[in-house]
Amino acid sequence: MKFKRIFGLVMDSVGTGAAPDSIKYGDEGADTIGHVGEHFAGKLALPNLAKMGISNLRDTPIEGVPVADDPHAYYGKMQEISAGKDSMDGHWEMMGLPVRKALSTFPNGFPADIIDKLEKFSGRKVIGNRPESGTKIIAELGEQQMKTGDLIVYTSGDSVLQIAAHEEVIPLDELYKICEYARSLVNGPEYLVGRIIARPYVGPDAQHFTRTANRRDFTLEPTDKTDMDRLQAAGVHVVGVGKINDIFSGHGIDEGYHNESNMDGMDHVDHVMQEDFTGFCFINLVDFDAMYGHRRNPEGFGNALMDFDKRLGTVMANMHDDDLLMITADHGNDPTYRGTDHTREFVPLVVYSPGFKQGGSLGIRSPFSDFGATVLDNFGVKGNNEGHSFLADLK
């Protein structure tokens, strides 16, 4: 064992340039962090990520984020092989389980048999039923939903079924039960959907509706063992922070924390760092994606990156020489791009330990499973046949 604790931190949706297969997804030219840098016109301040080499891993530096002459970390990019570009695909692939078969998507809304069953089970009418931005469809139909108690059902370009409801009209427990039932309808073979998402919101009217942190993801059960299962079976302690527990349906996790926000998530990271354990902490920070990427808000996205970078300084200061921090993303979500969906991109890979004698390039890693293979390699656990460990490259 080289490192006692490994912290794997996913900046949800922070892509770093269109992947080679982006044209297949209609995402050519997407570049989440690059275009955010352009939006800030040289004022995107990410000093900690810069020192680690976040601009070094790119063909062109992020505007305002200098290339590091003497990077404090190892840096590179990861390229996805999974059939989709959703959070589930990205995280599963990181943990040695690429999604090779495309999941069901619904560009024309959900078929009548699914909607009929949802209405019969819930005793409520379904409205919406189309691909749409969550904030837009809630603003459009939220007041009607408050009056009638209907369910706002919608999707996106990803394999998701989302159900929105006002928290004062449909209690959270009821919304979650409806989502659990919806999950049971799309586990195959006819329809195979990656995630059912409960999207509760509050507010008095369309001008003041806001989605709450009580969102829950009901994800397809992992179709095979993941690297977290392998770690857990080997007696290695596994911690999940943020929506990790939802993405893996609780599998392979010993200790879990739900995030209210990115900053709440970083509070959880600080807490876990004070614990004395040997193992892996897998973290997802979703605000980049949910609050700013899908809403096509580059200003908010950049501010969230700068807030994260400040908190990253605290994490680095609290790390021990035998700690390892691996920062990456699960997909892109370019806030300057057309539409409101995820974008197929390379994701950054930044790997840091205060015990490093040097930094350097890790090149382009594919599949994402190299990430999990490195964690397993560190703890002497076998079983990830998808990825290739880069542990030996860290000096």
Side-chain angles (χ1 to χ4, degrees):
M1 181 175 64
K2 196 168 184 177
F3 300 99
K4 182 179 178 182
R5 305 186 300 181
I6 297 180
F7 297 86
L9 194 153
V10 180
M11 304 181 295
D12 200 305
S13 88
V14 184
T16 187
D21 60 355
S22 61
I23 191 168
K24 174 182 169 185
Y25 296 85
D27 292 334
E28 57 272 31
D31 183 2
T32 299
I33 199 167
H35 288 154
V36 170
E38 290 175 12
H39 174 83
F40 275 77
K43 295 182 179 178
L44 186 68
L46 304 175
N48 290 306
L49 284 169
K51 282 186 278 188
M52 288 179 163
I54 193 73
S55 269
N56 296 53
L57 61 84
R58 294 170 51 84
D59 295 332
T60 55
I62 304 160
E63 191 170 339
V65 183
V67 169
D69 293 331
D70 182 21
H72 293 190
Y74 289 86
Y75 55 85
K77 295 188 282 193
M78 296 202 300
Q79 181 181 342
E80 188 170 11
I81 64 169
S82 288
K85 52 178 180 174
D86 188 26
S87 291
M88 189 195 84
D89 306 79
H91 286 80
W92 282 19
E93 185 171 324
M94 279 184 231
M95 292 294 104
L97 188 60
V99 180
R100 288 190 164 85
K101 181 182 177 183
L103 301 177
S104 304
T105 55
F106 302 88
N108 300 309
F110 298 98
D113 59 331
I114 290 178
I115 299 300
D116 290 346
K117 288 173 182 174
L118 270 178
E119 291 184 333
K120 184 176 180 181
F121 175 83
S122 66
R124 297 178 180 275
K125 182 184 174 186
V126 166
I127 55 176
N129 191 25
R130 66 176 188 267
E132 189 58 89
S133 155
T135 51
K136 183 177 177 182
I137 202 166
I138 289 170
E140 176 190 335
L141 299 177
E143 291 184 3
Q144 177 184 342
Q145 193 271 325
M146 289 178 71
K147 291 175 185 173
T148 63
D150 296 341
L151 301 172
I152 301 173
V153 172
Y154 63 105
T155 186
S156 72
D158 295 314
S159 182
V160 293
L161 188 159
Q162 307 189 71
I163 305 178
H166 198 286
E167 288 191 2
E168 294 174 11
V169 176
I170 300 180
L172 288 173
D173 285 349
E174 182 182 349
L175 178 61
Y176 294 159
K177 285 176 183 174
I178 294 168
C179 288
E180 286 174 350
Y181 175 72
R183 173 74 272 166
S184 73
L185 299 178
V186 289
N187 291 330
E190 186 174 4
Y191 309 114
L192 194 62
V193 172
R195 289 185 295 158
I196 310 299
I197 307 178
R199 290 286 197 178
Y201 63 95
V202 294
D205 52 48
Q207 285 71 44
H208 299 93
F209 289 145
T210 56
R211 295 190 292 187
T212 75
N214 293 317
R215 160 190 171 156
R216 274 194 63 189
D217 293 36
F218 299 81
T219 307
L220 187 69
E221 292 269 340
T223 54
D224 204 341
K225 287 184 179 179
T226 72
D227 292 342
M228 292 195 299
D229 294 317
R230 297 180 181 104
L231 290 166
Q232 191 180 55
V236 178
H237 191 65
V238 180
V239 183
V241 175
K243 66 180 186 180
I244 298 299
N245 189 72
D246 289 346
I247 290 171
F248 292 92
S249 300
H251 292 274
I253 298 171
D254 297 304
E255 181 183 352
Y257 299 88
H258 170 74
N259 291 346
E260 299 288 327
S261 64
N262 276 3
M263 294 302 98
D264 183 52
M266 293 305 290
D267 288 343
H268 291 140
V269 174
D270 292 342
H271 170 78
V272 174
M273 290 194 77
Q274 300 307 312
E275 296 182 348
D276 182 17
F277 69 98
T278 299
F280 175 55
C281 178
F282 202 16
I283 305 136
N284 175 280
L285 300 179
V286 76
D287 285 2
F288 305 112
D289 184 65
M291 300 292 292
Y292 309 114
H294 286 300
R295 299 184 190 185
R296 295 303 188 249
N297 179 354
E299 185 76 15
F301 203 118
N303 286 327
L305 279 169
M306 289 190 281
D307 289 342
F308 165 71
D309 191 86
K310 290 174 186 173
R311 295 295 299 267
L312 182 57
T314 302
V315 170
M316 295 168 69
N318 289 335
M319 289 177 68
H320 306 146
D321 283 354
D322 59 355
D323 285 339
L324 184 70
L325 174 64
M326 300 166 62
I327 301 174
T328 188
D330 49 349
H331 49 71
N333 200 347
D334 188 338
T336 71
Y337 208 67
R338 61 181 176 265
T340 59
D341 290 335
H342 296 152
T343 42
R344 182 76 161 192
E345 299 184 45
F346 287 110
V347 298
L349 177 64
V350 178
V351 183
Y352 170 76
S353 172
F356 284 166
K357 297 180 176 65
Q358 63 189 61
S361 175
L362 293 171
I364 296 175
R365 316 294 308 198
S366 186
F368 284 7
S369 302
D370 286 12
F371 186 98
T374 303
V375 177
L376 291 188
D377 188 14
N378 179 75
F379 293 109
V381 178
K382 305 293 184 186
N384 181 335
N385 298 316
E386 297 289 348
H388 302 279
S389 170
F390 49 79
L391 186 70
D393 298 327
L394 309 177
K395 300 183 172 80

